[in-house]
Amino acid sequence: MRDCDLLIENGTVMTDCRTLRAGMDVAVKDGRILAVTPHGGEEWKAGKVISGKDLAVMPGLMDSHMHTGQQLLKGLVLDAKPIIWTRVMLPFESTLTPEKMRLSASLAALEMIRSGTTGFVESGGYFMDEAAAVYRESGLRGRLSWSTMDEEEAIRLSDRLYGDWDGQGNLKVYYSLRALNSCSDRLVSLAAEHAGERGAVLQAHMNEYPGEVEGIVRREGVRPYVYLERMGVLSDRFLGAHSLLLSEEERELIGERGVRLCHCPFSNCGKALPDTPALLGRGIVPGFGSDGAAHAGLSLWGEMRIFRSVMNICYGVPAANPAVMPAETLFQMMYEGGAAALDEAGRCGRIQPGFHADLITVDLK
């Protein structure tokens, strides 16, 4: 008889993005998956037992790009003109207080847990100490950043956030560039330097709006990813959120440098359409993000559903290929792309021994 902390008995287990196995037991110990075995195949002494009957046991969903500080802005940007982050988001965020950020993080944590999200990347906000305290208590696997749009002060605050919160509970701290149009060369260099010194991921909003891309081209003479390559920033420790309007040269750079990407389908629908089939064909697997509650809430089920529909009408229908974005590919993006975004590749997104036991169950009835 083997010991475990938690045993989920006789469930239908999604071991990876393509495999469902009925009648399986999942044993968990010290926060990691200990074993996945046919029901009754081993005897267990468990601290807690959950019946998996009529349940799908799945890896938790991973939100690769969200905004804690926009939780109280829910649904209020749908008819706003681009570029909404300068017209709506930043003016709203300027009204935040520590208490509002604590409330926003509490609401965000509840909404994520309710919709099956177990990990997330916060793309950069204010009063992050208040958010971090909430997220540590929640148990969610969070990645936090300070909003970075000036130079020394933003880097100082990011360094402090890293020192205070990286490794606390399930939290890690990333460095961020909010938007390249608002970042000087010096800020880009400082953020990359300080992230590199700490082995932290650097993230940025990338190629989201035509006006944003055109602004960088006017300022630098090259497109955004080419600019970051010239600055020596691109690597497999860089996460590019959105990444919708990509040139062939930029796609090549992303593949060569191992850059991590994510799409935010509902939010992106008002801006541009990514050529995700072309990215997947290169072995580049983006994750999914909600882009925060200001758009439509934090449900990643909704994001996957919208994304499949958009990909089908834009790429599947013209090619008479209704399976251009099948469920297996959606879950590959959710789990493989999501694990990369959370800096947990090989540790999240599968139900197999050694992986984090970030698990959810779905009622099959």
Side-chain angles (χ1 to χ4, degrees):
M1 182 174 288
R2 299 174 66 185
D3 290 338
C4 65
D5 300 324
L6 171 68
L7 182 67
I8 305 175
E9 289 187 318
N10 197 25
T12 298
V13 177
M14 189 178 193
T15 54
D16 58 46
C17 63
R18 293 178 174 82
T19 309
L20 280 169
R21 301 175 63 189
M24 302 297 291
D25 294 343
V26 180
V28 174
K29 188 169 185 176
D30 298 328
R32 292 186 179 266
I33 296 166
L34 180 62
V36 184
T37 60
H39 178 52
E42 288 198 48
E43 290 190 36
W44 296 97
K45 182 181 179 182
K48 181 177 182 179
V49 177
I50 296 175
S51 171
K53 187 177 184 298
D54 298 323
L55 297 178
V57 184
M58 302 173 60
L61 306 186
M62 289 171 269
D63 192 332
S64 298
H65 184 82
M66 58 84 72
H67 293 264
T68 299
Q70 294 169 11
Q71 194 71 19
L72 301 177
L73 193 63
K74 183 176 284 190
L76 295 181
V77 303
L78 295 183
D79 296 322
K81 295 179 180 179
I83 296 174
I84 58 174
W85 74 270
T86 54
R87 293 175 181 269
V88 181
M89 306 302 198
L90 291 181
F92 174 80
E93 288 182 5
S94 71
T95 70
L96 290 174
T97 64
E99 175 65 5
K100 285 182 181 178
M101 196 60 169
R102 184 186 67 80
L103 291 170
S104 295
S106 300
L107 289 168
L110 288 169
E111 187 171 352
M112 284 189 279
I113 291 168
R114 183 174 181 267
S115 59
T117 297
T118 57
F120 67 93
V121 178
E122 156 61 53
S123 55
Y126 307 101
F127 307 112
M128 292 309 297
D129 291 309
E130 282 72 20
V134 171
Y135 287 138
R136 179 178 61 183
E137 183 180 359
S138 75
L140 291 165
R141 198 169 299 282
R143 306 296 177 251
L144 309 180
S145 292
W146 194 272
S147 188
T148 314
M149 289 187 291
D150 52 18
E151 294 179 4
E152 278 79 1
E153 178 67 5
I155 297 301
R156 182 187 69 80
L157 290 168
S158 296
D159 287 346
R160 185 178 62 77
L161 185 70
Y162 185 92
D164 290 346
W165 292 102
D166 190 75
Q168 294 290 319
N170 286 327
L171 304 181
K172 288 184 182 179
V173 172
Y174 286 4
Y175 282 69
S176 78
L177 299 167
R178 185 67 181 260
L180 295 187
N181 299 70
S182 62
C183 296
S184 65
D185 288 354
R186 176 168 169 75
L187 176 55
V188 171
S189 295
L190 282 172
E193 176 187 337
H194 283 239
E197 289 172 353
R198 293 158 179 79
V201 172
L202 175 64
Q203 62 172 324
H205 294 71
M206 296 294 296
N207 297 51
E208 185 178 3
Y209 299 93
E212 166 211 342
V213 174
E214 291 161 6
I216 294 296
V217 172
R218 284 195 301 271
R219 192 183 87 186
E220 304 293 340
V222 293
R223 292 175 65 86
Y225 275 102
V226 181
Y227 163 65
L228 290 183
E229 171 68 4
R230 191 173 70 187
M231 293 289 291
V233 170
L234 293 188
S235 74
D236 60 359
R237 305 293 291 165
F238 184 85
L239 171 60
H242 303 295
S243 297
L244 308 176
L245 299 156
L246 299 173
S247 67
E248 180 61 20
E249 181 180 13
E250 287 178 300
R251 282 193 287 265
E252 287 182 5
L253 282 173
I254 288 165
E256 289 171 3
R257 297 290 180 257
V259 170
R260 313 168 193 197
L261 302 183
C262 79
H263 298 325
C264 302
F266 188 76
S267 167
N268 294 162
C269 280
K271 301 160 189 172
L273 176 73
D275 190 352
T276 311
L279 292 173
L280 293 169
R282 291 174 176 266
I284 300 167
V285 182
F288 284 116
S290 66
D291 206 14
H295 299 278
L298 303 182
S299 170
L300 294 173
W301 300 100
E303 298 293 340
M304 287 192 287
R305 184 181 302 115
I306 290 164
F307 189 70
R308 184 188 187 281
S309 298
V310 169
M311 288 291 109
N312 190 41
I313 196 67
C314 295
Y315 297 111
V317 171
N321 177 18
V324 69
M325 196 58 60
E328 293 88 346
T329 302
L330 294 173
F331 282 115
Q332 179 191 12
M333 292 173 62
M334 175 61 65
Y335 293 135
E336 186 178 325
L342 265 69
D343 202 25
E344 293 288 352
R347 296 184 292 271
C348 276
R350 295 189 176 195
I351 300 181
Q352 66 182 52
F355 275 57
H356 292 305
D358 297 356
L359 305 176
I360 61 174
T361 61
V362 176
D363 188 342
L364 291 173
K365 290 188 174 182

